[in-house]
Amino acid sequence: MNERILAFQAACDRGERIAVLTAYDYPMARLLDEAGVDVLLVGDSLGMVVLGYPDTTLVTMDEMLHHTRAVARGAQRPLILADLPSGSTETPELTVANSQRLIEAGAHAVKLEGGASHAAHIAALAAAGIPVMAHIGMQPQQVHVEGGYRIKGKTAEQSAALLADADAVEKAGAFGLLLELVVPAVAKEITDRARIPTIGIGSGADCDGQVLVLHDVIGLFPWFKPKFATQRADVASEIRRAATEFIRDVKARIH
Ligand code: KIV
């Protein structure tokens, strides 16, 4: 088990809440490391907030590797968790091979979208010694299959499926569980039951940690603002202001 995973588990055992933010490049990784974030997620959300794709399904392994390397160059202390993108987990064998590439690029662990359906993939990763966090609830890579981004756990049937997913991935050897857009009461029930930490996004306050897309927190993607994310800075406005001043001064021959 690598030392970052051990530190992550020790913090959870001490009852500390885990702060996770996405990072996709060197300066952001370095700044967030300096700020003291516990985990940097090289999320496939980079497809939307960095690369301008309409959703995460178009993100490739090569893009994930490129951004994981940049984050690894910038971060010294946090656990670096890299997403397995759409199409990279077709079989357990392919999942292990692609995860190994992400680890070689500098990730300490990988994140995989899927619950009970991916227990064999998670077991294969655990057997290969690759730490894996399972991402259940709303799975953005399924956006076309599901016809949108929907909250999970609204019905008794959905809640039971989520609890079964959580049990299955824990049993298969996942070291953590990401819960996206899960009804808060169900996220709490999963958190109370699971022996591995839960990290929530849009799933209420009772998970063991919280993750957000950095751009939502610092206001760097002003064209879409998820309701559950508190924006704590307005970087987009600062960029527009600085660029506008620069353009004005160049045109006026001031510089
Ligand atoms: O890709 C990502 O950034 C994620 C978060 C939204 C949890 O998976």
Side-chain angles (χ1 to χ4, degrees):
M1 188 68 74
N2 74 52
E3 75 187 38
R4 311 282 170 112
I5 296 288
L6 290 173
F8 173 88
Q9 284 169 337
C12 296
D13 291 345
R14 289 193 299 271
E16 285 175 28
R17 297 193 83 231
I18 306 296
V20 186
L21 283 169
T22 61
Y24 315 107
D25 60 26
Y26 174 88
M28 292 301 175
R30 193 164 167 180
L31 288 168
L32 297 178
D33 183 353
E34 287 171 10
V37 75
D38 298 303
V39 180
L40 287 175
L41 169 63
V42 189
D44 60 358
S45 52
L46 72 86
M48 297 167 83
V49 299
V50 176
L51 302 178
Y53 295 151
D55 55 58
T56 62
T57 62
L58 299 171
V59 176
T60 64
M61 264 308 291
D62 283 345
E63 286 162 346
M64 288 307 304
L65 291 167
H66 176 76
H67 287 276
T68 300
R69 285 189 200 103
V71 168
R73 284 190 285 267
Q76 303 302 314
R77 191 194 39 79
L79 172 70
I80 300 173
L81 180 62
D83 259 340
L84 283 155
S86 188
S88 70
T89 61
E90 299 294 306
T91 63
E93 295 72 25
L94 185 64
T95 305
V96 171
N98 281 322
S99 300
Q100 262 152 359
R101 295 174 73 200
L102 289 167
I103 299 289
E104 278 158 25
H108 305 111
V110 298
K111 177 164 77 61
L112 169 149
E113 287 188 18
S117 60
H118 286 70
H121 304 60
I122 292 168
L125 287 168
I130 300 174
V132 53
M133 180 174 285
H135 179 153
I136 66 169
M138 197 281 283
Q139 295 167 32
Q141 291 171 14
Q142 298 303 312
V143 61
H144 299 303
V145 179
E146 302 216 334
Y149 301 104
R150 305 197 195 292
I151 295 174
K152 298 290 170 154
K154 283 180 156 178
T155 63
E157 198 183 357
Q158 280 184 7
S159 308
L162 284 168
L163 286 160
D165 279 339
D167 287 346
V169 301
E170 177 177 333
K171 210 164 147 199
F175 79 95
L177 194 49
L178 190 142
L179 305 177
E180 180 158 5
L181 286 187
V182 171
V183 168
V186 180
K188 180 174 176 359
E189 193 177 346
I190 293 172
T191 302
D192 290 345
R193 232 164 92 143
R195 276 164 302 173
I196 54 175
T198 61
I199 307 293
I201 175 163
S203 300
D206 291 311
C207 296
D208 298 307
Q210 294 288 330
V211 56
L212 283 176
V213 169
L214 176 69
H215 290 48
D216 298 334
V217 177
I218 65 172
L220 187 51
F221 196 80
W223 310 281
F224 174 72
K225 297 184 183 186
K227 286 198 197 90
F228 55 77
T230 304
Q231 187 183 322
R232 295 168 193 271
D234 188 1
V235 170
S237 296
E238 267 300 282
I239 291 174
R240 287 194 189 108
R241 185 198 57 72
T244 308
E245 273 180 24
F246 170 75
I247 295 160
R248 184 200 58 207
D249 289 357
V250 170
K251 306 276 179 200
R253 297 178 189 273
I254 290 171
H255 296 301

